[in-house]
């Protein structure tokens, strides 16, 4: 349903960059205010050449900021990002997109973006060929991996006279996107969620380790999903090159022992714990202090068991805390997953089988089944890890409200 005041009380920080579509900002601000939102505007210097700050300050009833400092006083970019419920960058030019992807900070809008703790959504605007350029698509993918949302471009007449994809979404469609976003996002508001992700590395000596192929992508996608639904998220992540979402507390760890310590500290406060990390089951009994030199004889490593983090949390879980485990299996999948659910005292277990093509480590897709302690079973198709994360979080939310 679309109605008046659907955005009542929402604080929207509108970032405007240098694109001809900036002329639509006036209509966008009017629409946002009509829908009940409070709007503040930051612009890039290029943005001010397409639409006058005076027009926008009049419409938004707030000062429009476009300099990092003005009259020798510094614009507080940190507070702006904290003030907002969402930062909407519309139009997003290809230049600002590239800066967001690379983390460049050469104007106020970029300083606000980089220091924002709120969610960020962008509405790109560019010419068709620019839009289709691989670098643009790679940058979009990159900022999506940081947890930013993209409002798709629309098809139509472009500034160049060409007709094709690249037009910024119409203001009413942007407002509809925001209304939809705010109508469901807050089902994890005030919930503290901790998530473990990625592999652990167990040191053999200062230069070598035993690890595994986990990329951490599944746990990162879950962290992103929980964050976008209003949770206070702590992500405890082993070594990975995957991009981290914005606006979460990130605890970087290396070994299973580090991950255990960080998990115990975070679990005290957590309402929900999702244990998606591929934790080493064994560690080196006595890692060498210096690099081990090769010799002609064979080498034997003595491995000792690590503590099972999920099981440890299962043993100390208090009433009201929800514990979600994962099971990665190659055979007797369901049977093994159910054993783990029971032996580790989890509330739910998410099974992925390495026998399913596209599931498991390193891929951008996954195929899961969920089993819960009440004996219910849910099976899902192969999906992107982002969609799988939404399925898992939906289950968590349903349990909370059951
Ligand atoms: N897990 C953990 N700490 C460990 C080992 C596993 O917290 N030391 C957690 C994982 O994060 C996952 C679940 O336990 O949520 C199951 O992990 P998995 O690797 O599938 O199984 P294991 O319990 O290690 O058993 P096995 O390797 O024998 O299958």
């Amino acid at each position: 349903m679309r109605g008046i005041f659907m955005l009542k009380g929402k604080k929207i920080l509108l970032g405007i960059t240098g694109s001809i579509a900036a002329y639509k900002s006036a209509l966008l601000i009017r629409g946002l205010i009509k829908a009940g939102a409070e709007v503040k505007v930051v612009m890039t210097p290029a943005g001010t050449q397409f639409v006058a700050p005076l027009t926008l300050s009049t419409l938004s009833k707030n000062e429009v900021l476009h300099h990092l400092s003005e009259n020798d006083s510094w614009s507080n970019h940190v507070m702006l990002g904290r003030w907002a419920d969402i930062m909407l960058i519309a139009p997003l030019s290809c230049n600002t997109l590239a800066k967001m992807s690379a983390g460049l900070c050469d104007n106020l809008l970029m300083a606000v973006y980089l220091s924002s703790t709120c969610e960020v959504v962008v509405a790109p605007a560019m010419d068709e060929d620019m839009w289709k350029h691989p670098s643009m698509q790679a940058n979009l993918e990159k900022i999506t991996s940081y947890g930013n949302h993209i409002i798709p471009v629309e098809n139509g007449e472009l500034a160049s006279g060409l007709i094709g994809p690249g037009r910024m979404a119409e203001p009413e469609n942007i407002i509809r996107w925001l209304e939809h976003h705010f109508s469901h996002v807050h089902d994890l508001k005030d919930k503290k969620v901790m998530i473990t992700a990625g592999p652990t590395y167990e040191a053999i000596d200062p230069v070598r380790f035993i690890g595994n192929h986990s990329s951490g992508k599944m746990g990162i996608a879950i962290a992103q999903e929980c964050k976008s639904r209003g949770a206070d998220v702590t992500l405890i992540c082993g070594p990975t090159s995957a991009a981290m979402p914005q606006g979460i507390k990130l605890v970087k760890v290396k070994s299973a022992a580090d991950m255990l310590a960080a998990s115990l500290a975070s679990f005290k406060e957590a309402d929900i714990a999702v244990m998606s990390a591929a934790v080493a089951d064994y560690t080196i009994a006595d890692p060498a202090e210096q690099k081990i030199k090769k010799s002609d004889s064979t080498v034997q490593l003595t491995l000792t068991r690590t503590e099972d983090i999920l099981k440890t949390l299962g043993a100390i879980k208090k009433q009201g805390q929800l514990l979600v485990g994962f099971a990665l299996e190659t055979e007797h999948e369901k049977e093994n997953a159910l054993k783990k659910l029971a032996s580790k005292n989890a509330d739910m277990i998410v099974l992925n089988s390495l026998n399913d093509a596209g599931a498991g480590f390193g891929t951008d897709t996954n195929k899961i089944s969920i089993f819960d302690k009440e004996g219910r079973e849910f099976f899902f198709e192969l999906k992107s890890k982002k969609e799988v994360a939404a399925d898992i979080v939906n289950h968590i939310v349903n349990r909370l409200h059951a």
Side-chain angles (χ1 to χ4, degrees), residues 49-98:
Q49 297 186 345
F50 288 90
V51 58
L54 180 61
T55 310
L56 306 181
S57 61
T58 311
L59 288 169
S60 67
K61 301 186 183 67
N62 274 312
E63 187 189 358
V64 170
L65 298 166
H66 47 96
H67 290 301
L68 266 167
S69 66
E70 233 149 330
N71 301 329
D72 291 334
S73 88
W74 174 68
S75 294
N76 192 335
H77 55 84
V78 176
M79 290 330 288
L80 268 176
R82 296 208 165 192
W83 167 83
D85 292 312
I86 198 160
M87 180 176 189
L88 162 67
I89 306 182
L92 172 71
S93 67
C94 68
N95 201 23
T96 299
L97 168 61

Side-chain angles (χ1 to χ4, degrees), residues 196 275-281 306-310 325-329 340 344:
T196 64
M275 314 301 285
S276 69
V279 189
D281 291 324
T306 56
E307 196 168 324
D308 188 315
I309 307 171
L310 174 59
F326 270 68
L328 179 67
E329 305 297 340
K340 286 176 190 173
K344 303 190 189 208

Side-chain angles (χ1 to χ4, degrees), residues 95 254 303 309 338:
N95 201 23
K254 266 202 181 136
L303 303 179
I309 307 171
L338 290 177

Side-chain angles (χ1 to χ4, degrees), residues 196-198 200 212 256 259-260 263 274-282 305-313 324-330 336-337 340-341 343-344 346 348-352 361:
T196 64
T200 61
N212 61 62
M259 190 172 272
L260 172 69
S263 300
V274 183
M275 314 301 285
S276 69
V279 189
D281 291 324
Y282 294 91
R305 277 290 310 273
T306 56
E307 196 168 324
D308 188 315
I309 307 171
L310 174 59
K311 196 169 183 174
T312 305
L313 300 191
V324 182
F326 270 68
L328 179 67
E329 305 297 340
T330 55
N336 284 331
K340 286 176 190 173
L341 174 71
S343 67
K344 303 190 189 208
M348 271 166 61
I349 196 135
V350 180
L351 163 69
N352 36 128
F361 285 165

Side-chain angles (χ1 to χ4, degrees), residues 206-233:
V207 294
R208 303 178 182 95
F209 61 85
I210 298 178
N212 61 62
H213 292 300
S214 169
S215 63
K217 285 182 183 170
M218 192 64 250
I220 292 169
I222 295 169
Q224 227 165 278
E225 181 68 21
C226 291
K227 168 72 193 162
S228 77
R229 291 162 82 145
D232 175 344
V233 179

Side-chain angles (χ1 to χ4, degrees), residues 101-121:
S101 163
L104 275 178
C105 183
D106 64 349
N107 59 42
L108 178 64
L109 186 143
M110 282 309 303
V112 173
Y113 165 71
L114 289 169
S115 55
S116 65
T117 50
C118 63
E119 287 199 81
V120 179
V121 55

